Amino acid sequence: MMVNTMSGNMLSYGGGLLGLIVLVLDLIVIFEVINSNRDIAGKLGWSLLVFFFPVGGIILYFLFSSRSIHAAHYNPIA
């Protein structure tokens, strides 16, 4: 007798997709923090917060990080 295991695995695939989205957002936030003009303590604090609390860290970062003040401004080469 063949058992359809696809329906049981659909929830795990949804969690995998959600986990992938959170991972990508975490990487974006960490790279943005590393490239910012914050001091080392600020960079370390935000990075550790996002690393240990991925979803909550992302939310707190986008709400309270003053991104426009600390944004890295790049000059074009050409």
Side-chain angles (χ1 to χ4, degrees):
M1 179 175 183
M2 185 167 242
V3 177
N4 185 3
T5 59
M6 194 62 173
S7 63
N9 289 334
M10 291 306 283
L11 291 177
S12 66
Y13 287 119
L17 182 62
L18 183 63
L20 180 65
I21 292 169
V22 170
L23 175 66
V24 168
L25 288 174
D26 281 343
L27 291 175
I28 290 170
V29 167
I30 288 174
F31 286 129
E32 186 174 314
V33 166
I34 290 172
N35 289 325
S36 70
N37 61 358
R38 290 180 172 84
D39 59 346
I40 297 297
K43 289 181 181 185
L44 185 64
W46 281 114
S47 297
L48 288 175
L49 180 73
V50 170
F51 181 76
F52 287 116
F53 305 103
V55 176
I58 291 171
I59 293 170
L60 290 174
Y61 178 75
F62 284 119
L63 289 177
F64 301 113
S65 69
S66 304
R67 293 172 60 210
S68 60
I69 296 171
H70 297 290
H73 300 286
Y74 299 104
N75 294 326
I77 295 172

